[in-house]
Amino acid sequence: MTSRNRLFVSLWFRVFVVILLTAIVFCYAMFQGGFVSWFLFYACLPYTLYAFLFAIIPLQVTAKRTFQHTRLKAGDELNIDLEIKRTNPFPYFYAIIEDDPPVTFHLQEQIEMKRMVFPWFQKTWRFSYRLNDVARGEHHLTAVRIRTGDLFGFVEKEVVIPLEKKLLVYPKMVDLPVRSADSVNENGERAVQTWLNEPTNVTTGVREYQQGDRFAWVDWKTTARRGQLMTKEFEQNQTRDIVVFADFTDEVVFETVISITASVLQTAVKKGVPVSLVPLGDQQSFGVDKGELHLHDMLYYLTKVQHQPSRAVAYKRLASNEYEQTGKYVVTGHLKEELAASLLGHRSRKNITVLLVKRAVDQMTTKEKQLVDRFKASGLKITLIDEDRLNERTVR
């Protein structure tokens, strides 16, 4: 017997019990007589009539779900409005409306998506709820569940309204002021020192200094000659491609690795730099391209990707000749000898930047500290990202 059939049988069994009890009270009043007996009968009669009408009148409703914001990032606040409309004005003492939560929400309790209303004769019911710190991923909301009953909750009815809706929660975007690996025991911070933050253009002329221009761009000879600050103008003809290699094997910093990867990709696209994403240990990869559509495809992948304990990382892709002339970012949660061998085997190591994500600075192992020293000695850039401090710099 299906769940729907069980609910139907249970409903009519309870109505039969109510009618049977009313019949017993009627027989008692007929044989006993007196005010008290007939008072009990007439007191039970409205409840019995309501229970019978409650059973035979169907709860025909339609539902509409509305997201107040359609583009969300991990950690954002999700606001949802539900509107329930019914066709008949039959009075309901109460109704419990529940938006069936997908398992991908990882809710500790479902009370946030459930509300009790007291509609009586109202044909339109409205219910709004809010979820804080929504999780990254592709979420599918499938149905709205409505449960109602009589005043005492003895006779109940439940209706499930299919209502498919897909919600994409993109990775959290962060800025990247992080501690450099060669100063992890010092106070203060430095931005990621990579060529992506430097002009990759050819000087074509000079112009007056404007707010936001870098101090390093000042043309001192022209400034001295004209008596006012002048900066160099650049031509966009030497933009290099970059490839972001993402290592998703470390479960502890998995979400942060995704956020850093997405942030680097977005920064590159905003600067007009052609960029590619290569997930280590995954067959899927994205070719070098630029533009918002290409960025959307990569962010969609990062939105859906989940941690897989069995994922085997193939570091050989780092040493591929295909990426020899490109700038490379490697985002990872731990350093291994295999990773070091692949990176140090490159002839153009100055184009490589390793972003090492840790929960705290002191969580680096002795082996990782040794590898950091080897990277620095070979001219390879490595930057340590403190996850706890990075969370304070979320870009909304």
Side-chain angles (χ1 to χ4, degrees):
M1 184 181 295
T2 64
S3 175
R4 184 173 182 178
N5 290 336
R6 283 196 300 269
L7 291 173
F8 179 80
V9 172
S10 174
L11 171 63
W12 278 103
F13 174 76
R14 296 186 179 198
V15 172
F16 173 76
V17 171
V18 172
I19 295 174
L20 180 62
L21 291 175
T22 305
I24 292 173
V25 174
F26 175 75
C27 294
Y28 172 74
M30 288 291 293
F31 287 102
Q32 182 69 23
F35 173 78
V36 175
S37 303
W38 286 106
F39 177 81
L40 289 175
F41 170 71
Y42 285 115
C44 292
L45 192 61
Y47 180 76
T48 305
L49 179 62
Y50 179 85
F52 180 74
L53 293 176
F54 179 87
I56 65 174
I57 297 178
L59 178 58
Q60 296 179 337
V61 294
T62 58
K64 178 183 178 182
R65 185 192 294 112
T66 305
F67 297 135
Q68 293 186 11
H69 299 90
T70 56
R71 186 178 179 88
L72 297 173
K73 298 184 180 69
D76 282 353
E77 185 179 90
L78 173 62
N79 295 281
I80 297 181
D81 299 324
L82 282 175
E83 184 178 81
I84 311 296
K85 291 185 177 181
R86 59 188 179 121
T87 57
N88 60 71
F90 183 79
Y92 291 103
F93 293 108
Y94 75 92
I96 299 176
I97 306 173
E98 180 182 0
D99 200 356
D100 274 358
V103 295
T104 51
F105 272 179
H106 305 299
L107 295 179
Q108 299 297 327
E109 298 180 0
Q110 297 183 9
I111 191 171
E112 297 94 341
M113 303 178 68
K114 184 188 298 183
R115 180 72 56 83
M116 176 181 285
V117 297
F118 303 94
W120 290 92
F121 294 95
Q122 295 178 1
K123 285 189 174 183
T124 302
W125 312 339
R126 290 182 175 86
F127 163 39
S128 299
Y129 64 92
R130 178 179 63 190
L131 296 178
N132 298 317
D133 197 19
V134 63
R136 175 194 60 83
E138 185 178 48
H139 309 291
H140 293 272
L141 290 85
T142 57
V144 174
R145 190 181 305 271
I146 301 175
R147 188 167 69 251
T148 184
D150 66 324
L151 183 61
F152 303 105
F154 184 73
V155 180
E156 291 185 334
K157 184 185 296 184
E158 184 177 276
V159 175
V160 178
I161 310 169
L163 192 61
E164 296 282 345
K165 191 79 170 181
K166 183 173 73 171
L167 174 67
L168 289 177
V169 180
Y170 291 93
K172 181 190 299 183
M173 298 296 175
V174 296
D175 58 5
L176 300 174
V178 295
R179 296 182 179 182
S180 175
D182 57 359
S183 60
V184 294
N185 294 321
E186 302 174 5
N187 295 324
E189 297 176 347
R190 296 195 311 185
V192 178
Q193 300 297 318
T194 66
W195 60 267
L196 182 59
N197 295 322
E198 300 298 329
T200 58
N201 312 315
V202 175
T203 303
T204 59
V206 294
R207 57 172 172 79
E208 293 184 6
Y209 179 85
Q210 297 178 0
Q211 185 176 2
D213 288 344
R214 297 191 181 185
F215 195 67
W217 298 353
V218 174
D219 189 322
W220 294 107
K221 292 183 179 180
T222 308
T223 297
R225 187 168 59 251
R226 298 188 182 183
Q228 59 180 348
L229 279 177
M230 305 294 292
T231 59
K232 301 173 184 178
E233 285 190 309
F234 301 97
E235 180 181 305
Q236 302 284 342
N237 64 350
Q238 286 190 353
T239 301
R240 288 186 293 177
D241 303 340
I242 68 170
V243 180
V244 180
F245 297 91
D247 180 2
F248 298 134
T249 57
D250 194 332
E251 186 176 8
V252 176
V253 293
F254 176 73
E255 290 296 331
T256 305
V257 169
I258 290 178
S259 295
I260 296 298
T261 303
S263 302
V264 173
L265 294 173
Q266 180 173 266
T267 301
V269 171
K270 285 185 176 181
K271 288 178 176 287
V273 179
V275 64
S276 169
L277 171 62
V278 180
L280 298 175
D282 198 329
Q283 296 297 324
Q284 185 173 0
S285 61
F286 298 85
V288 177
D289 203 347
K290 58 183 178 180
E292 291 296 329
L293 184 59
H294 181 55
L295 176 63
H296 178 270
D297 292 339
M298 294 185 292
L299 292 182
Y300 182 65
Y301 168 82
L302 293 175
T303 298
K304 297 179 61 177
V305 67
Q306 298 296 325
H307 180 260
Q308 299 176 6
S310 59
R311 187 191 296 266
V313 179
Y315 293 111
K316 293 181 179 179
R317 302 182 73 177
L318 291 167
S320 174
N321 294 330
E322 180 182 357
Y323 310 116
E324 185 66 30
Q325 300 302 320
T326 62
K328 286 171 278 292
Y329 278 91
V330 181
V331 188
T332 182
H334 49 245
L335 298 180
K336 293 183 178 180
E337 192 66 43
E338 296 86 348
L339 173 64
S342 298
L343 295 179
L344 295 176
H346 277 276
R347 288 175 296 179
S348 54
R349 289 189 289 270
K350 293 184 178 180
N351 291 342
I352 301 175
T353 300
V354 178
L355 302 181
L356 178 60
V357 183
K358 290 294 181 181
R359 276 284 175 88
V361 176
D362 57 0
Q363 287 189 347
M364 288 183 63
T365 64
T366 304
K367 182 63 176 178
E368 286 178 328
K369 292 179 180 179
Q370 293 174 354
L371 291 176
V372 167
D373 292 337
R374 287 175 57 189
F375 287 163
K376 288 162 50 182
S378 64
L380 191 146
K381 305 182 190 71
I382 180 166
T383 305
L384 179 64
I385 298 179
D386 188 340
E387 183 184 53
D388 294 334
R389 304 197 65 174
L390 187 66
N391 289 334
E392 301 173 1
R393 299 179 172 83
T394 303
V395 178
R396 296 292 183 185

